[in-house]
Amino acid sequence: MPAFIQISDTHIVAKGQLACGHSDTATALANAVASINARLPALGSVDCAILTGDLTDHGTAEEYDHFLEIMSALELPWLAIPGNHDRHAEMRSAFIGTDWMPESGPIQWQRDFGPFVVIGLDTLLDGAHHGMLSDEGFAFVDRTLTALGERPVIVATHHPWMFSGISAMDADNLRNGAALMNRLQAHPGPVRMISGHVHRAMTTHIGKVICQIAPSTAHAVHRDVQPEAVNSLILEPGAVMLHTWLEGPRSGLVSDILPIGTFAGPWPF
C-alpha cells in the first residue's frame, strides 16, 4: 500500500520574521512535521513526502537554510519542486546533495512507487507569479509518459491548471497548462495532477484527469469571489495531504486531508 504525503506552500522566511507580517510559517511547518511524525505509525507504509513548491517566501539562501533546519526533524525522505516564491539558483544550491536535484536545467524528476509513478515538474518562471512549463519540461513529460506506457501517473506541479474561482490566483496559474493537459489526456493510463499555489484544498475533473490542489501548512488564501475582493491571506488551520494507493477490486489512489495539530481521541466507537 504505497503512499506519500504532499506538503505545500510552506513559505519559510528568515528566523524571527512572519510571512506577510502575519503568518508564523516556521512554527506551522514545525507543527506539520511533528504531526506527520506522530501519525506515521497509524498511516501504514508512507514512502516519502513531496513538497509542491513555495518552500520559501523570497527564495533566499537564509530561508532555505531555515527550511532545511525545520525539515531535518521529518522522519521521512522528501523531494520537492519549486514554486513562484522559490528561486532556481538558490534552491539548487541548497539541495544539490540530494538524489532528486538535477545539476542543471529545470528542477524536475520522477519517482516510482510501484503501482504508480509521480512526475515532478518545474513551473517556476523566475521573477513571475504565474507558472510556465519550459520546452525542456514538455520534452521530459513526453519522454516519461511514452516510457511508462499504460501505468498510472501522478503529475506534481506548483501552479495548477484548474480554476479555483479566486480570480487573482486563477490569473497566476499555469499559463501553458492546456498543452500539458493535452498530453495527460492522451496518456492511456490513469492520470492525476496535484498542485499547490492556491493554499486551499480543491478538486475537480478536467476530462479524464483528476486535478487536486493541496492546502498550505500555514495560511490560506482568503476565499472571496466578490468582484472588488483584494487577494488576501487568512489564518485558517493548516494541513497536508496523504495520497495512498489501495489495492483490490477498486484499486487506485485515495487522497485524504490531514489537519495539523493534536486532537482528542481516538476512542473506539
Side-chain angles (χ1 to χ4, degrees), residues 26-145:
T27 297
L29 179 56
N31 289 341
V33 168
S35 295
I36 292 168
N37 290 343
R39 285 176 178 263
L40 281 177
L43 296 180
S45 179
V46 179
D47 296 73
C48 66
I50 293 176
L51 290 103
T52 46
D54 281 2
L55 282 59
T56 65
D57 205 39
H58 303 97
T60 68
E62 181 180 11
E63 290 175 341
Y64 284 115
D65 286 345
H66 194 193
F67 172 86
L68 284 167
E69 181 181 329
I70 299 168
M71 288 293 290
S72 66
L74 183 65
E75 296 171 5
L76 286 172
W78 55 269
L79 55 169
I81 51 176
N84 54 286
H85 282 260
D86 294 304
R87 292 295 179 267
H88 281 116
E90 288 80 359
M91 183 172 173
R92 193 184 312 278
S93 177
F95 306 144
I96 195 63
T98 63
D99 60 3
W100 51 267
M101 175 62 75
E103 293 183 2
S104 61
I107 298 174
Q108 56 193 17
W109 41 259
Q110 72 176 79
R111 185 178 178 102
D112 195 328
F113 287 81
F116 64 93
V117 171
V118 176
I119 304 173
L121 297 180
D122 183 342
T123 61
L124 167 60
L125 186 64
D126 279 311
H129 287 294
H130 67 272
M132 293 285 287
L133 193 60
S134 67
D135 290 342
E136 293 172 90
F138 281 118
F140 176 68
V141 171
D142 291 338
R143 290 194 306 271
T144 306
L145 291 180

